[in-house]
Amino acid sequence: MIAEADRLVSEKRRLESALRATEVPMHIVTECLGVRERRQGGDKVADDPEDAMLKELEIINNVRDLLTRTIKQAEQQIKKDRDAKADLEMDWSDKLEAAQIDARAASLHNESTEIMFYPGSAKFEDMQSSPESWAQFSHDNIVRAETERMASIQLRDLIGNILSDVAKDMVEQSDVVNMALAKRIEETADAKAKMENSLQNTLREIASQEKNIESLKHAIKEKEKPIKVAQTRLHMRTQRPGVDLCRDPAQYKLVDEVRELCDQVDALQKQLDESEESLRQLKDTRMTLEKEIAKKANTVFLDQKRCMQIRTRYPTAQKLIGYN
């Protein structure tokens, strides 16, 4: 009984050690959930890693509740073991004292110096037990002690199974979280790389469009002098005197030239307006891509450099089953 009580005390210490060990995973998953709250924009979603972490948090809470209940159960059984042990020790002590008294009584003889008159001793005490009740009392103590010893053994087996199962559940869910995080990091990094490629293409298009706009502005500028020449010629020819102010072929050609040049300028201006609008859209796209790339970079940093680093502190299975 003594050995069994000591073994159960050792198992209770394992339970308490395992319960303390769950504090680290609890801090880890809580910190990771807090870290991932700093994701930005569309990246702040309820994704697979978050679902896995919430499941991990639920498992840890359930494990802590189970270990706490089992510790209380062990404490109750330890008390029963100690009570049964105390009863056996008391019974043994009483029987040892009774045996010593009987031995002394059996050794008395007519010449013994201890003998003397004890009037009234030749009677049965009311509180005396019978041989049957005496034997039953010892039997009951032994049966009770054996019952508690077996209950203690069964509880130790249960504790061993509980510790193995909860450690297995926690380690498996931790692996699920780590794999979900690794996959999410890969997906986010891939999306970031694609956006960076799109940004490079957009920057090239912006440079090309800016060059095109400069060319169009230059082309429009180049049309100004020919228009001025043609319009100046027309203006000067309006000053021809008398009948010489006529609609001659030169007049028609000059008018056609001015119209043609103005049409060309209008067409170039239209292209310029369209190019400038396209440039504005490209710059908007660039800004959007830069913001999204920054968000993705932030998410990768939080998941890879913060969460994955934090999770390296996760305790071993040995610690989770109560061994240091």
Side-chain angles (χ1 to χ4, degrees), residues 209 269-279:
Q209 197 64 269
Q269 186 62 50
K270 182 179 179 182
Q271 291 181 40
L272 178 61
D273 292 342
E274 291 173 351
S275 295
E276 287 178 338
E277 176 60 27
S278 176
L279 181 60

Side-chain angles (χ1 to χ4, degrees), residues 253-270:
K253 285 187 177 181
L254 284 170
V255 169
D256 289 342
E257 182 181 4
V258 169
R259 287 176 179 171
E260 183 179 349
L261 287 170
C262 287
D263 288 343
Q264 290 175 359
V265 169
D266 289 343
L268 289 170
Q269 186 62 50
K270 182 179 179 182

Side-chain angles (χ1 to χ4, degrees), residues 66-126:
L66 176 59
L67 292 177
T68 301
R69 291 196 306 270
T70 309
I71 288 171
K72 290 180 181 178
Q73 188 178 352
E75 289 172 345
Q76 293 170 354
Q77 185 59 51
I78 289 170
K79 183 179 184 305
K80 291 179 181 179
D81 289 350
R82 288 173 175 170
D83 289 345
K85 170 177 165 288
D87 290 342
L88 283 176
E89 289 175 339
M90 181 63 71
D91 193 17
W92 174 84
S93 176
D94 289 347
K95 283 179 170 49
L96 176 61
E97 185 178 354
Q100 290 172 343
I101 291 171
D102 284 347
R104 286 172 55 201
S107 67
L108 294 175
H109 52 80
N110 291 340
E111 303 304 323
S112 297
T113 58
E114 299 177 56
I115 60 174
M116 59 185 297
F117 289 107
Y118 287 94
S121 61
K123 66 177 182 179
F124 293 107
E125 298 290 341
D126 293 337

